[in-house]
Amino acid sequence: MEKAAVKSEGLVIPLIDFSRFLNGNPEQRKETAKAILHGFQTAGFIYLKGLPITPEYRKHVFETSAKYFRLPTETKLSHCWTTPEANRGYSAPGREKTTTLTDIDDVKKLRDAAPDLKESLEIGREGEPDHPNHWPEEEGELVGFKETMLGFHAKCKELHMEVMRAIAVGLGIDESWFDSYTDAGDNTLRLLHYPEVKKDVFTINPGQVRAGAHSDYGSITLLFQDSRGGLQVQSPTGVFVDATPIEDTVVVNAGDLLARWSNDNIKSTIHRVVEPPSGEGDVYPARYSIAYFCNPNFKSYIEAIPGTYAAEKDRKYEGINSGQYLVQRLTATY
């Protein structure tokens, strides 16, 4: 029986030892895969421990990320996010509004009323001539920034592929079924900084959050967070429940495209980032997190996974191109 990382309001998010899938015997691998799939089917979220990425390495990546956000604003703006097709570069506080809304005008109204209190840097697959990454000048404490982030991008890509293999085993299809959909690495590494903020900001504007309620767009998201807290996941009762940070874990959630791909056998659950649990003083400290947004290869055509429907009439969705789907969703967000 897996331990619950979160258990409240009918929401149970399991804490699963992923090393049992990576290094275990066939029975342990199957058992772990089933637990992962069950977590995605019931909660849409899981916590994984026993990761192939060491705590020391993750600490180095977080420290390197914090150094980037200490750059002057005008320097960061020179790396500015440009288009949904590229989905690379820096977004200043208030630029993006995460929401469940899809109408551009509705999103703008919400952004104007309660802008998200965060800044970010998106890093995509390196080596795309039409969509280059926006790298800072490597001087001072930023020497080695590109190497660190590309290395982490590669490690997260491998972790993505392994989680998808576990889902395949859980579904009872060939373990490598997803490999040809995930081998390109069309994923986005997002460095996130939620600046320190006065507590009364949330009192003055009750609708204010650090990141608005939303679901993710792709296959899965790997979320590495610091100890500050603030992530909440919507429960079956509609109440948002704290997804408290657990040291040396990654929070993994299923995205909308995986839910569609699985014919809704897997859930994409709404979540948000709010003010953290209250501490002393009148200011909330800065929060840092790193999200790795995983997608099927952008050239992939996504239609229901074998075994997720009994007959053709049971398919809930038409097939769709992965890259086009992502662009459609990002267009409304920025």
Side-chain angles (χ1 to χ4, degrees), residues 163-195:
V163 173
M164 297 306 293
R165 288 168 186 151
I167 291 172
V169 172
L171 287 169
I173 59 178
D174 187 86
E175 181 177 332
S176 62
W177 193 87
F178 290 107
D179 284 7
S180 63
Y181 292 93
T182 56
D183 55 0
D186 285 329
N187 310 317
T188 299
L189 178 65
R190 168 182 277 192
L191 311 181
L192 280 153
H193 171 223
Y194 302 84

Side-chain angles (χ1 to χ4, degrees), residues 127-138:
E128 293 227 23
D130 295 334
H131 303 304
N133 284 311
H134 303 282
W135 298 109
E137 290 291 326
E138 297 218 356

